[in-house]
């Protein structure tokens, strides 16, 4: 009896899916939240904090890229003006993706600066550039949702996701303000920077968790 050779299974690892987007954001958010968790910096040290942020930023970048790919066409036809407009969903995804790249740059700088003795006690906080882009993307995401759905729609997980994501973007913006270093070399408010990062990361985690497909939430990690 002959056994027919099975067709080779194509790898799905590099295929962007909502599951991968959500899990990447959640892992990255968990690492950022851990880095800013009360007492973690004192216990683990600045190097561990910066390493968590560095790794978390790469998960954010992967998630942002997946989100951009899944966001759909750049433009759509409308019955006014030039007849074509850039979609808010795509703008939100592209802006957030660029923001994650800026976080890559700043977290890499924080890890690199740790090799300088005078800067070994410094830890990463959301930078102004990345935080501004996150804020813009958060408002664009809300606008895009409002354009296609109800203004107030608490029965939809998508509505909750964009609202919680916006809160996270605002919290990261607050953290960036708190982390601002004056000309005298003094941080404006370290506690504000830490709590803003922690709350923002928790919000990003929850924003992805609520839209994570239920089958993936309830399974033991079956791949998408």
């Amino acid at each position: 009896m002959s056994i027919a050779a099975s067709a080779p299974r194509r790898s799905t690892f590099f295929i962007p899916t909502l599951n991968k987007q959500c899990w990447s954001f959640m892992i990255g958010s968990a690492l950022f939240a851990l880095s800013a968790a009360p007492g973690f910096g004192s216990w683990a040290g600045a190097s561990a904090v910066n390493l968590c942020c560095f790794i978390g930023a790469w998960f954010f970048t992967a998630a942002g890229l997946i989100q951009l790919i899944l966001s759909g066409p750049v433009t759509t036809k409308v019955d006014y003006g030039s007849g074509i407009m850039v979609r808010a969903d795509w703008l939100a995804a592209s802006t957030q993706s660029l923001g994650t790249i800026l976080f890559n740059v700043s977290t890499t700088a924080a890890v690199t600066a740790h090799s300088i003795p005078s800067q070994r006690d410094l830890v990463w906080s959301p930078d102004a550039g990345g935080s501004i882009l996150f804020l813009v993307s958060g408002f664009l995401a809300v606008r895009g949702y409002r354009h296609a759905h109800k203004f107030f729609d608490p029965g939809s997980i998508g509505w909750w996701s964009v609202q919680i994501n916006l809160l996270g973007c605002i919290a990261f913006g607050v953290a960036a303000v708190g982390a601002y270093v004056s000309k005298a070399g003094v941080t404006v408010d370290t506690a504000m920077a830490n709590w803003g990062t922690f709350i923002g990361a928790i919000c990003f985690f929850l924003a992805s968790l609520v839209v994570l497909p239920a089958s993936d939430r309830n399974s033991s990690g079956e791949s998408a």
Side-chain angles (χ1 to χ4, degrees):
M1 181 178 66
S2 62
I3 300 177
S6 60
R9 184 180 180 183
R10 190 172 60 135
S11 173
T12 60
F13 182 78
F14 293 105
I15 297 178
T17 65
L18 179 60
N19 281 359
K20 292 171 184 172
Q21 174 191 316
C22 291
W23 278 111
S24 294
F25 268 131
M26 288 164 63
I27 293 172
S29 298
L31 288 169
F32 277 113
L34 176 62
S35 72
F40 178 76
S42 301
W43 173 74
S47 60
V49 171
N50 290 332
L51 183 60
C52 283
C53 293
F54 174 78
I55 298 173
W58 280 105
F59 277 101
F60 263 25
T61 298
L65 179 59
I66 294 172
Q67 183 179 28
L68 180 59
I69 294 172
L70 297 178
S71 65
V74 177
T75 60
T76 186
K77 293 182 178 179
V78 294
D79 55 2
Y80 55 87
S82 64
I84 297 177
M85 67 175 293
V86 179
R87 296 174 57 249
D89 288 347
W90 183 86
L91 275 175
S94 61
T95 305
Q96 187 169 50
S97 184
L98 180 56
T100 63
I101 293 174
L102 292 185
F103 282 164
N104 277 134
V105 173
S106 60
T107 54
T108 300
V111 170
T112 303
H114 189 73
S115 62
I116 303 174
S118 62
Q119 299 187 28
R120 284 182 180 170
D121 292 331
L122 302 180
V123 297
W124 181 87
S125 292
D127 61 279
S131 296
I132 290 173
L133 288 173
F134 266 43
L135 272 173
V136 173
S137 72
F139 282 107
L140 285 171
V142 171
R143 180 178 176 81
Y145 186 89
R146 288 176 56 186
H147 182 74
H149 304 86
K150 300 177 183 177
F151 171 74
F152 185 70
D153 191 17
S156 168
I157 58 174
W159 183 85
W160 281 106
S161 180
V162 295
Q163 306 304 323
I164 296 172
N165 177 72
L166 178 59
L167 289 177
C169 294
I170 294 173
F172 261 41
V174 171
V177 172
Y180 179 77
V181 179
S182 67
K183 292 182 179 179
V186 179
T187 303
V188 171
D189 194 324
T190 302
M192 181 190 296
N194 288 338
W195 278 107
T197 303
F198 181 73
I199 293 172
I202 294 297
C203 287
F204 291 142
F205 183 93
L206 294 176
S208 292
L209 178 63
V210 296
V211 294
L212 182 69
S215 60
D216 199 63
R217 274 203 305 268
N218 299 331
S219 70
S220 58
E222 182 180 353
S223 61

